[in-house]
């Protein structure tokens, strides 16, 4: 095994052992940066999930929100009246329209005195075009029932069959479902009628917040005619104020970290590879092919990167599992593997950038006395 | 055998070009150490670089091989020249130019791992010769040492062993004694002479130090890029 690897990176492998300290150092830096990026990604992912996980479950091709005259559309203020809903339903190419209400309020259970902030969803039964869907699985059948997401059930300390009070009205918990959130509050689902009443009691209009529309239609034309805007579910997230500010700042931090790591890791391998240029010139004079030297250099960079990233990733998963009990933290391929791959690519890019000093190394310089 | 035929080499020098090697012809026979001497800047290293295929001459040929099987190294495309250096030429530099991360033994083993589809067979052959050459240069005991643990003379001996481990037809050596004292210099020159005779190698050796001339079989003098004096005579072809 060692001999096999040795053939590919004979010199590089021995350099790794010879300059152990230096490589341990850069490996540690790679590991630390991977840990930082991974941890921040996990946290960002966790926060994002607390913000948008329910919105991402909304069905349909597009989500229709009210388009205010002088500002951007917003989930918090959107209100779509009967006429607007009807206009969408009757527009050309529209297959189905599901009106959905969202409003933030408070709920309390008799067992726990303190009320809990919750997001109330007004959901019809079995929205057309949806099969099993974690959000719609919460939709209750009767107006005096609610479906409670697991986060809300935990906060309120309730189970199926318990009673909770929302804006002064009592409801029976008909189902406890998945962990769904809207703008950092856990979701509770009501029937559209019950939701409309609740919305009015907290100062809302009682009209739908968003329409989930399945259609093959001229979205912009219908939107303009009805004073609405139809966005893809992902694009509609910018209509969540909390999401925009949070992801904006955390995203900036992650981007900056990537920038810094690109510089650190890239610069190290650039300098290191350039330092090897003298030895590369000797090997070339002795008859080494450029290909074998490139493999040697990239192989060396890969070994250091893979080891550093591996350690960093293990730390992310370890610490993330611990942190996940207290913080919103997500361990998923996007928050672990994606940063790892980006780190590897950046490091190799740095090494590849410096490869010119290997491929251009003049074997003649080996002959001179001024090496 | 290596034969330089009417080799001319120029370097760009501002607007003009300076002639480093001027129509030089020279033959190195197998089993012979051919010394190349001359003042500083006369073109000795340039001649060696052309012979080593590290520089392509403006004109002239560098024939390497035996009898009817001669290759003009000056005309080879780049990758074939690289292959020739890997298989047919041994180079010993003025500074020993060993790789600091490798042990003495690995300095020789690396010759079997320079890429270019080196076959398993060839690699095994070179590896098998490593111990023999370490023994030939008297460094078996120091095989596990790295460059910084070796003396200047020991480094130069390792470099010579490295130049021979792949059994090249031609051995090219530039100023092997310049970093050594008189006594060690003499030992190195005797070693080169012995190995050249034992292994029937065509050795070209550049030196400006004629104290060890008795170890040379032939000697030519270079002046302003021209080969002028055939001291022993045989190396010069008219
Ligand atoms: N890469 C180069 N570019 C331009 N001129 C060069 C280059 N290499 C050598 N020369 C010139 O070619 C001439 C011959 O140089 P060369 O190195 O062959 O001399 P040398 O006989 O080996 O000298 P020394 O004994 O000092 O090593 C010199 O005038 C030198 O300045
Ligand atoms: Mg010289």
């Amino acid at each position: 095994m060692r001999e096999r690897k040795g053939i590919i990176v004979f010199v590089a492998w021995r350099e790794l052992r010879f300059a152990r300290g230096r490589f341990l150092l850069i490996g540690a830096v790679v590991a630390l940066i991977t840990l930082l990026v991974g941890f921040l990604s996990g946290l960002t992912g966790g926060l994002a999930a607390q913000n948008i996980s329910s919105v991402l479950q909304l069905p349909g091709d597009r989500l229709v929100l009210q388009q205010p005259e002088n500002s951007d559309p917003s989930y918090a203020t959107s209100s779509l009246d009967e006429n607007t809903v009807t206009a969408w339903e009757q527009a050309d190419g529209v297959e189905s329209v599901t009106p959905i209400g969202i409003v933030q309020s408070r709920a309390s259970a008799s067992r726990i005195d303190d009320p809990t902030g919750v997001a109330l969803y007004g959901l019809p039964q079995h929205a057309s075009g949806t099969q099993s869907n974690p959000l719609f699985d919460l939709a209750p059948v009767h107006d005096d029932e609610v479906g409670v997401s697991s986060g809300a059930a935990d906060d309120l300390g309730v189970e199926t069959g318990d009673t909770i009070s929302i804006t002064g009205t009592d409801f029976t918990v008909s189902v406890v479902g998945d962990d769904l959130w809207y703008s950092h509050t856990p979701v509770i689902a009501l029937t559209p009628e019950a939701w409309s009443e609740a919305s009015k009691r907290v100062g809302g209009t009682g009209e739908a917040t968003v329409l989930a529309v399945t259609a093959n239609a001229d979205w912009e034309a219908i939107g303009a005619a009805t004073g609405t805007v139809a966005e893809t579910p992902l694009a509609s997230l910018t209509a969540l104020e909390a999401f925009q500010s949070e992801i904006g700042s955390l995203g900036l931090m992650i981007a900056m970290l990537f920038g810094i790591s690109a510089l650190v890791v890239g610069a190290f391998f650039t300098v290191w590879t350039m330092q090897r240029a003298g030895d590369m010139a000797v090997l070339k004079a002795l008859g080494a092919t450029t290909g074998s030297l490139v493999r040697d250099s990239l192989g060396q960079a890969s070994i250091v990167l893979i080891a550093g990233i591996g350690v960093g990733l293990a730390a992310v998963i370890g610490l993330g599992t611990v942190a996940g009990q207290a913080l919103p933290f997500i361990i998923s391929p996007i928050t672990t593997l994606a940063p790892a791959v980006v780190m590897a690519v950046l490091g190799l890019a740095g090494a590849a950038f410096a490869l010119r000093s290997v491929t251009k190394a003049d074997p003649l310089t080996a002959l001179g006395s001024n090496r | 055998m290596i034969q330089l035929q009417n080799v001319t080499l120029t370097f760009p020098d501002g607007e003009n070009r300076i002639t480093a090697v001027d129509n030089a012809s020279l033959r190195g026979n197998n089993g012979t150490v051919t010394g190349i001497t001359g003042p500083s800047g006369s073109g000795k290293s340039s001649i060696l670089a052309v012979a080593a295929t590290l520089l392509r001459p403006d004109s002239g040929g560098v024939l390497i091989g035996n009898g009817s099987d001669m290759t003009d190294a000056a005309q080879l495309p780049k990758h074939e020249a690289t292959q020739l250096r890997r298989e047919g030429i041994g180079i010993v530099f003025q500074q020993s130019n060993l790789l600091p991360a490798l042990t003495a033994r690995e300095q020789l083993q690396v010759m079997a791992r320079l890429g270019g589809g080196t076959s398993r067979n060839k690699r095994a052959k070179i590896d098998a010769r490593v111990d023999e050459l370490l023994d030939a240069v008297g460094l078996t005991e120091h095989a596990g040492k790295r460059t910084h643990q070796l003396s200047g003379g020991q480094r130069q001996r390792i470099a010579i062993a490295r130049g021979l481990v792949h059994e090249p037809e031609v051995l090219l050596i530039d100023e092997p004694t310049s970093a050594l004292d008189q006594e060690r210099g003499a030992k190195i020159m005797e070693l080169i002479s012995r190995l050249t005779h034992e292994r029937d190698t065509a050795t070209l050796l550049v030196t400006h130090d004629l104290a060890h001339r008795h170890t040379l079989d032939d000697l030519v003098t270079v002046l302003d890029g021209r080969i002028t004096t055939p001291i022993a005579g045989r190396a010069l072809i008219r």
Side-chain angles (χ1 to χ4, degrees):
Chain A
M1 168 65 207
R2 203 182 108 201
E3 193 50 25
R4 241 165 187 287
K5 185 188 247 169
I7 289 159
I8 302 169
V9 290
F10 186 84
V11 178
W13 185 247
R14 282 157 181 81
E15 272 177 9
L16 285 177
R17 286 188 293 161
F18 184 59
R20 217 174 289 122
R22 233 175 304 177
F23 282 109
L24 271 179
L25 208 63
I26 189 63
V29 170
V30 171
L32 268 178
I33 294 181
T34 308
L35 173 62
L36 267 177
V37 173
F39 208 78
L40 209 55
S41 301
L43 209 54
T44 308
L47 283 171
Q50 275 206 347
N51 234 332
I52 62 172
S53 58
S54 63
V55 177
L56 290 181
Q57 296 299 335
L58 292 175
D61 302 327
R62 298 262 180 134
L63 298 175
V64 173
L65 289 164
Q66 187 183 11
Q67 172 67 65
E69 272 174 35
N70 296 317
S71 56
D72 291 330
S74 155
Y75 275 94
T77 60
S78 177
S79 173
L80 305 166
D81 60 23
E82 278 300 322
N83 293 338
T84 310
V85 177
T86 313
W88 269 100
E89 279 170 348
Q90 291 173 353
D92 274 350
V94 173
E95 260 174 53
S96 79
V97 174
T98 310
I100 291 155
I102 309 172
V103 69
Q104 285 184 294
S105 178
R106 293 184 303 175
S108 53
S110 49
R111 251 181 263 159
I112 296 177
D113 293 335
D114 293 334
T116 299
V118 294
L120 303 180
Y121 265 76
L123 297 174
Q125 278 284 309
H126 297 294
S128 50
T130 51
Q131 289 92 29
S132 182
N133 166 310
L135 181 62
F136 279 83
D137 286 350
L138 294 179
V141 182
H142 304 293
D143 289 347
D144 60 352
E145 288 175 345
V146 288
V148 179
S149 67
S150 64
D154 282 350
D155 285 354
L156 293 165
V158 296
E159 299 169 357
T160 308
D162 288 351
T163 301
I164 63 174
S165 164
I166 299 169
T167 64
T169 308
D170 281 351
F171 294 90
T172 306
V173 177
S174 65
V175 63
V176 175
D178 279 3
D179 196 19
L180 292 174
W181 295 72
Y182 169 86
S183 206
H184 295 294
T185 48
V187 167
I188 291 182
L190 291 72
T191 60
E193 292 70 26
W195 180 87
S196 182
E197 294 301 315
S199 160
K200 283 177 194 156
R201 281 198 296 276
V202 298
T205 59
E207 287 163 343
T209 308
V210 57
L211 307 180
V213 179
T214 306
N216 184 3
D218 185 347
W219 300 104
E220 280 184 22
I222 310 173
T226 54
T228 57
V229 56
E231 312 218 65
T232 61
L234 273 182
S236 82
L237 296 178
T238 56
L240 278 167
E241 283 84 356
F243 180 72
Q244 233 182 336
S245 53
E246 243 172 52
I247 294 305
S249 50
L250 284 170
L252 192 68
M253 278 167 73
I254 293 179
M256 273 163 53
L257 255 180
F258 271 128
I260 292 169
S261 44
L263 277 179
V264 171
V265 176
F268 174 85
F269 284 108
T270 305
V271 172
W272 178 263
T273 307
M274 273 155 70
Q275 270 190 2
R276 304 180 79 217
D279 287 350
M280 296 298 120
V282 170
L283 288 171
K284 254 190 181 175
L286 295 178
T289 58
T290 301
S292 72
L293 297 181
V294 166
R295 269 200 303 282
D296 198 73
S297 279
L298 287 185
Q300 188 178 61
S302 305
I303 292 172
V304 176
L305 281 169
I306 289 171
I309 291 171
V311 170
L313 213 52
V316 169
I317 293 173
L319 287 176
T321 309
V322 175
Q325 288 156 9
L327 298 168
F329 194 97
I330 283 190
I331 296 173
S332 75
I334 288 190
T335 62
T336 53
L337 290 186
V341 168
V342 172
M343 289 293 296
V345 168
L346 290 176
L348 283 180
F353 174 75
L355 273 185
R356 265 185 317 158
S357 66
V358 170
T359 55
K360 291 268 150 64
D362 186 355
L364 189 61
T365 58
L367 202 60
S369 53
N370 52 349
R371 222 201 114 206
Chain B
M1 185 176 82
I2 179 165
Q3 191 166 346
L4 272 65
Q5 285 182 330
N6 307 100
V7 169
T8 297
L9 175 75
T10 63
F11 288 112
D13 178 32
E15 296 281 281
N16 311 315
R17 298 184 74 85
I18 55 168
T19 305
V21 181
D22 191 359
N23 200 27
S25 296
L26 161 73
R27 188 165 77 209
N29 288 314
N30 288 69
T32 306
V33 181
T34 304
I36 303 173
T37 191
S40 181
S42 57
K44 304 183 296 293
S45 294
S46 301
I47 288 175
L48 214 60
V50 170
T53 75
L54 296 177
L55 281 177
R56 195 183 283 267
D58 298 34
S59 63
V62 178
L63 302 181
I64 291 178
N66 271 313
S68 56
D69 187 20
M70 301 281 273
T71 317
D72 186 354
Q75 300 303 324
L76 291 178
K78 221 170 174 182
H79 70 277
E80 284 181 35
T82 305
Q83 185 185 359
L84 181 64
R85 290 202 298 278
R86 193 161 62 237
E87 293 172 356
I89 301 178
I91 306 177
V92 180
F93 307 97
Q94 183 161 0
Q95 307 282 304
S96 55
N97 274 352
L98 300 176
L99 304 175
L102 305 190
T103 64
R105 170 176 280 115
E106 288 163 352
Q107 308 281 357
L108 307 198
Q109 288 173 333
V110 86
M111 286 306 296
R113 291 164 176 82
L114 296 175
T118 317
S119 73
R120 214 158 238 291
N121 211 351
K122 207 175 282 172
R123 195 179 304 135
K125 254 192 196 155
I126 293 181
D127 282 345
R129 287 168 48 81
V130 166
D131 287 324
E132 182 207 329
L133 268 151
L134 283 173
D135 184 46
V137 298
L139 287 176
T140 305
E141 278 167 42
H142 303 280
K145 287 190 177 169
R146 294 223 166 76
T147 310
H148 67 272
Q149 297 163 317
L150 296 169
S151 73
Q154 289 170 336
R155 285 180 210 180
Q156 205 54 279
R157 274 143 72 190
I158 292 292
I160 291 166
R162 178 175 69 181
L164 286 170
V165 71
H166 52 302
E167 296 198 286
E169 175 80 22
V170 174
L171 183 62
L172 305 172
I173 310 181
D174 198 356
E175 307 271 9
T177 60
S178 65
L180 305 177
D181 61 36
Q182 194 70 14
E183 196 182 335
R184 284 181 189 175
K187 285 215 172 106
I188 291 293
M189 292 295 282
E190 277 155 21
L191 177 67
I192 291 169
S193 173
R194 177 166 65 79
L195 292 174
T196 298
H197 296 151
E198 274 174 18
R199 282 152 213 275
D200 205 29
T201 313
T203 302
L204 299 187
L205 186 149
V206 166
T207 182
H208 61 256
D209 174 10
L210 289 179
H212 315 296
R213 59 184 296 173
H214 63 279
T215 61
L216 304 173
D217 300 305
D218 274 330
L219 183 63
V220 299
T221 304
V222 185
L223 207 63
D224 283 339
R226 265 176 253 230
I227 293 184
T228 54
T229 331
I231 290 183
R234 268 178 294 151
L236 186 78
I237 2 171
R238 258 165 264 270

